[in-house]
Amino acid sequence: MEKIESHGCFGGRQQVWSHTATTLGCTMRFGVYLPPQAESADCPVLYWLSGLTCSEQNFITKAGAQRYAAEHGVILVAPDTSPRGESVPDAEGYDLGIGAGFYLNATRPKWAQHYRMYDYVVDELPALVDAHFPTTSARAISGHSMGGHGALVIALKNPGRYRSVSAFSPIAAPSQSPWGEKAFSAYLGEDREAWQAWDATALVPGAQERLPLLIDQGGDDEFLANQLKPELLRAACEAAGHPLQLRLRPGYDHSYYFISSFIGEHLAHHAKALCG
C-alpha cells in the first residue's frame, strides 16, 4: 500500500492509494474518501465502479459525491476500471483492453491472467479496504455505464453481500449490445451461453435475493437505444417480480454532469440501507 494523494474534503480526506493486486497481476490504484466520522468510528462502505476509458480519478474529481458521503458518514471506494501496466494486454479502441475491464473474469488465454476485475472488486479490494480503513461490515455498490453493468451483476451474483445497489446509465443487457458483444467475445469466447453469467438482464430471473435495483437514465443519452437498453432489464424484472426503480431523466446525457446532478439522491438511498 502506497499513498499517492491525500486532500482535505468536506471535513474528511480524499485519498488515492496504489498496491500490488495479486488477482490482476499488476499495480492498481483506487480512490478512498474517508468522511469526518471515520476519525472516531467505523463507517459503512459504498463501492463505485466507473465506465469505459475511466480510472479512479473520474468519479473522485467529477461526481461531487464527497459532500453527501460526509453528511451520511459513508466511506467511498472507487477502483480503477481495469488492470494496467506494460505486461497487461491491450487492444485498439477504447472499448476493449485497458480502461475496459467489464468487471468480469476473462477466460480466453490472452486476457485470463490479468482481466479478473470481478474477483478484484468482490474479494481482493474489500479485504484490503477492511484491513486498512475503519470500515463496518455494511457494503453497497454503484456505478456508471460499464460500471453500472458491473454493479448490477456483482450485486445479483452475491446475495447478502451488499445492502443496496444502484446504477447510472448501465449497460443493462450487454449480451445484446455492441459494447458487450465485443468485450464478451474477446474475454469469454464465442459461446453466448457463457455470456449470460455476466449480464444483469439474464441474471434477474434466477436471482436468489430480491435486492431492489435503483437506476437513473438520462433521456438524451446518445447511447440509450443502441448500447444501454434499460427496457430489456425492466421487462426481465417485471417478469420475475424483481423490484426495480428505473427513472428516466429528460434532458440529461451520459456525462458526469448527469451523475453529479443526482449523486446526492443515490448516496441518500445507500445511506438509508447502510446506516438505518
Side-chain angles (χ1 to χ4, degrees):
M1 288 276 286
E2 179 185 359
K3 188 188 296 181
I4 305 298
E5 299 179 25
S6 185
H7 311 280
C9 189
F10 294 104
R13 304 295 298 179
Q14 176 62 61
Q15 300 178 341
V16 176
W17 291 80
S18 71
H19 73 109
T20 299
T22 57
T23 301
L24 306 176
C26 66
T27 299
M28 289 291 284
R29 291 190 177 194
F30 62 93
V32 177
Y33 177 69
L34 300 170
Q37 295 88 336
E39 293 185 4
S40 57
D42 293 345
C43 297
V45 184
L46 171 62
Y47 288 85
W48 172 271
L49 308 182
S50 291
L52 288 166
T53 75
C54 293
S55 70
E56 81 287 342
Q57 290 292 323
N58 297 73
F59 178 71
I60 67 176
T61 60
K62 295 180 179 180
Q66 294 93 338
R67 175 192 296 273
Y68 306 104
E71 292 177 4
H72 297 294
V74 174
I75 294 172
L76 302 176
V77 175
D80 202 345
T81 52
S82 68
R84 297 180 192 265
E86 293 183 0
S87 64
V88 175
D90 198 7
E92 292 185 4
Y94 70 93
D95 52 357
L96 186 66
I98 292 174
F102 266 83
Y103 303 102
L104 49 71
N105 288 337
T107 56
R108 295 192 71 188
K110 176 180 177 179
W111 308 99
Q113 179 181 355
H114 296 285
Y115 283 77
R116 304 186 65 83
M117 286 298 295
Y118 175 83
D119 282 351
Y120 178 72
V121 171
V122 172
D123 296 319
E124 183 173 2
L125 182 60
L128 190 72
V129 169
D130 290 345
H132 290 273
F133 301 99
T135 64
T136 69
S137 61
R139 298 172 182 161
I141 192 164
S142 186
H144 170 236
S145 194
M146 178 184 72
H149 140 75
L152 295 174
V153 166
I154 287 171
L156 289 166
K157 288 170 71 72
N158 292 276
R161 181 179 290 265
Y162 303 96
R163 296 193 182 181
S164 55
V165 58
S166 74
F168 288 86
S169 311
I171 306 172
S175 295
Q176 302 177 62
S177 77
W179 279 336
E181 289 175 331
K182 180 177 180 178
F184 288 1
S185 295
Y187 297 142
L188 304 172
E190 298 301 330
D191 180 4
R192 286 180 170 262
E193 188 63 30
W195 298 3
Q196 304 307 298
W198 307 103
D199 185 314
T201 296
L203 289 170
V204 159
Q208 298 178 26
E209 178 187 31
R210 296 306 188 197
L211 189 67
L213 311 180
L214 171 63
I215 295 176
D216 271 312
Q217 172 62 61
D220 289 355
D221 191 322
E222 63 181 302
F223 304 114
L224 177 56
N226 189 41
Q227 299 282 13
L228 306 180
K229 302 186 177 181
E231 71 280 359
L232 298 179
L233 179 62
R234 177 163 52 197
C237 287
E238 290 175 351
H242 196 110
L244 167 67
Q245 186 177 13
L246 174 59
R247 306 186 294 202
L248 188 67
R249 303 289 193 173
Y252 289 89
D253 57 20
H254 200 70
S255 70
Y256 268 84
Y257 295 110
F258 167 49
I259 295 170
S260 63
S261 297
F262 300 105
I263 193 67
E265 295 183 22
H266 281 241
L267 261 292
H269 166 78
H270 291 295
K272 183 177 180 180
L274 292 169
C275 307

